[in-house]
């Protein structure tokens, strides 16, 4: 069963998602050649704490492993779940994906973007634009009466029309009290037949490879990379479905509820 959020839960989802967006907003301004992914992690950890939230990534358990950082920072051929490191210095021409998942008052907000570092190639610029465009098109299909499959298909069509490929080993997901709730939201195919109803909170997150769709996981147990080493981009919003259409919850507010800007 896909959880339906009531009004009170939606208020809390709005707050959690605003926190995730605010953290991402802070981090994106720091991206430049010469900064390490651990620098982004440190700033992310502090920003999450300052806003009264906790990282849903830190200590997140998958099989017998626990994720060791507060943010996921994935560079170039890294698709998702890149572990921040002092040794990974961003260089001119790189792309870097920042994925922030926070827990605030018991609710979870999930938000990711991929940014250019310095000057990037036209092909990489296109990869970022197409992936962000795929997210927008996916969101515009998160309409009451549609099926989840309509989101999946719209994303896949947009991406493949531009000659790129969607990752198939990982999917978007419902989000709320837990980081991963029903439904799964693949970025391909038409398998998930559930009808979209009002009050669903969905993390829509196309992961798009410049080369083939295959991925593998590094020996650190977390970092997912493209199998062919091609660059990959990732954009994600948490979206509320309503009778008036989709509402993006992970939009940075001028001021996060109850918190003074600093
Ligand atoms: N947004 C990622 C996801 O939905 C965040 C995972 S946190 C990690 O899978 F701990 F797994 F890295
Ligand atoms: Co997610």
């Amino acid at each position: 069963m896909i959880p339906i959020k009531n009004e009170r839960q939606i208020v809390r989802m709005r707050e959690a998602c605003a926190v995730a967006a605010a953290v991402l907003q802070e981090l994106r301004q720091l991206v430049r050649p010469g900064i390490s992914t651990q620098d982004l992690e440190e700033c992310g950890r502090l920003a999450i704490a300052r806003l009264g939230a906790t990282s849903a990534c830190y200590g997140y358990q998958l099989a017998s492993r626990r994720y060791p950082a507060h943010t996921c920072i994935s560079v170039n051929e890294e698709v998702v779940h890149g572990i921040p490191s002092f040794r990974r210095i961003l260089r001119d021409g790189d792309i870097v994906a920042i994925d922030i998942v926070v827990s605030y008052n018991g609710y979870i907000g999930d938000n990711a973007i991929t940014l250019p570092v310095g000057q990037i190639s036209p092909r990489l610029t296109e990869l970022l634009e197409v992936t962000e465009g795929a997210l927008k098109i996916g969101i515009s299909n998160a309409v009451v009466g549609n099926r989840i499959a309509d989101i999946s298909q719209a994303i896949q069509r947009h991406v493949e029309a531009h000659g790129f490929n969607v990752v198939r080993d990982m999917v978007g997901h419902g989000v709320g009290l837990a980081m991963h709730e029903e439904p799964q939201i693949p970025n391909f195919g038409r398998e998930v037949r559930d009808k979209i109803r009002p009050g669903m909170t969905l993390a829509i997150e196309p992961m798009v490879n410049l080369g083939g769709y295959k991925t593998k996981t590094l020996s650190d147990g977390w970092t997912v990379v493209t199998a062919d080493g091609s660059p990959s981009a990732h954009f994600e919003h948490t979206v509320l479905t309503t009778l008036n259409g989709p509402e993006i919850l992970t939009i940075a507010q001028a001021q996060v509820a109850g918190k003074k800007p600093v």
Side-chain angles (χ1 to χ4, degrees), residues 47-63:
I48 292 168
R50 173 162 30 83
L51 294 170
T54 57
S55 165
C57 294
Y58 185 74
Y60 178 78
Q61 197 164 357
L62 219 155

Side-chain angles (χ1 to χ4, degrees), residues 30-161:
L30 303 175
V31 167
R32 70 198 60 167
I35 195 173
S36 79
T37 57
Q38 182 66 27
D39 293 330
L40 295 173
E41 157 71 8
E42 289 294 324
C43 292
R45 180 175 64 78
L46 292 170
I48 292 168
R50 173 162 30 83
L51 294 170
T54 57
S55 165
C57 294
Y58 185 74
Y60 178 78
Q61 197 164 357
L62 219 155
S64 61
R65 301 183 298 274
R66 287 187 179 276
Y67 188 73
H70 301 75
T71 60
C72 297
I73 316 276
S74 308
V75 184
N76 295 341
E77 78 288 353
E78 296 171 356
V79 180
V80 287
H81 304 166
I83 301 173
S85 160
F86 282 119
R87 294 186 311 271
R88 189 84 199 228
I89 312 287
L90 298 183
R91 310 238 172 260
D92 190 57
D94 285 347
I95 56 172
V96 60
I98 306 176
D99 190 351
I100 301 294
V101 197
V102 301
S103 176
Y104 184 75
N105 271 327
Y107 286 78
I108 291 187
D110 195 351
N111 193 191
I113 46 169
T114 304
L115 297 165
V117 182
Q119 195 74 17
I120 62 171
S121 70
R123 190 81 176 129
L124 282 179
T125 302
E126 196 188 351
L127 177 69
L128 300 194
E129 284 172 2
V130 167
T131 309
E132 188 167 21
L135 173 58
K136 292 238 164 74
I137 288 167
I139 291 170
S140 67
N141 277 275
V143 167
V144 171
N146 264 5
R147 298 181 189 277
I148 295 296
D150 294 309
I151 300 174
S152 310
Q153 179 175 264
I155 289 173
Q156 181 175 22
R157 282 198 173 147
H158 181 74
V159 167
E160 292 181 357

Side-chain angles (χ1 to χ4, degrees), residues 110 173 205 236:
D110 195 351
H173 50 92
E205 50 177 319
E236 175 173 28

